[in-house]
Amino acid sequence: QVQLVESGGGLVQPGGSLRLSCAASGDIFRPIAMGWYRQAPGKERDLVARVTAGQSTDYADSVKGRFAISKNNAMNTVYLQMDNLKPEDTATYYCNLRYYSDYVTFLDAWGQGTLVTVSS
């Protein structure tokens, strides 16, 4: 079983910054990618940013230039630095880990979510 523990959400004013962290633990044979998704009330869960084991990154257009994703070398922790936050960034942010559980099977694990509220 794999567990993801998120931290760092909260209330911030427009233009402010927050840093989210996600730590993974459990039976991970080989990580593939870690990332952050977000879901606002009444909307679908969408990709915010993702980093692969090979260091490739992918960002939603709406956060490019404002958010930065990074990971540790073991790829069991991922961070999301969020700068110049806007009210439309308000959402619950979910950590995701895609990983191999054996040589052929890949799975997705999700965190429980952390709420980010951008408001004055």
Side-chain angles (χ1 to χ4, degrees):
Q1 187 174 359
V2 172
Q3 289 187 326
L4 302 180
V5 178
E6 301 141 331
S7 61
L11 173 64
V12 63
Q13 292 186 342
S17 297
L18 282 175
R19 189 183 194 223
L20 305 183
S21 300
C22 173
S25 61
D27 192 12
I28 302 167
F29 179 69
R30 182 160 61 91
I32 299 171
M34 292 189 78
W36 292 92
Y37 290 70
R38 68 186 180 187
Q39 186 169 21
K43 296 190 176 182
E44 294 185 351
R45 188 178 298 187
D46 294 321
L47 175 70
V48 176
R50 176 174 52 209
V51 58
T52 69
Q55 306 276 19
S56 298
T57 57
D58 190 21
Y59 293 93
D61 288 342
S62 60
V63 307
K64 285 180 181 177
R66 300 189 297 122
F67 291 10
I69 191 168
S70 60
K71 63 175 183 66
N72 65 350
N73 288 335
M75 201 164 181
N76 55 19
T77 304
V78 67
Y79 308 95
L80 185 67
Q81 179 66 40
M82 305 185 293
D83 298 322
N84 190 21
L85 282 158
K86 303 176 180 181
E88 51 264 41
D89 295 317
T90 296
T92 298
Y93 285 68
Y94 295 91
C95 180
N96 169 264
L97 167 68
R98 174 158 287 191
Y99 66 100
Y100 281 104
S101 59
D102 53 38
Y103 284 103
V104 296
T105 306
F106 67 87
L107 301 170
D108 281 301
W110 293 91
Q112 291 191 327
T114 185
L115 180 62
V116 171
T117 303
V118 184
S119 175
S120 55

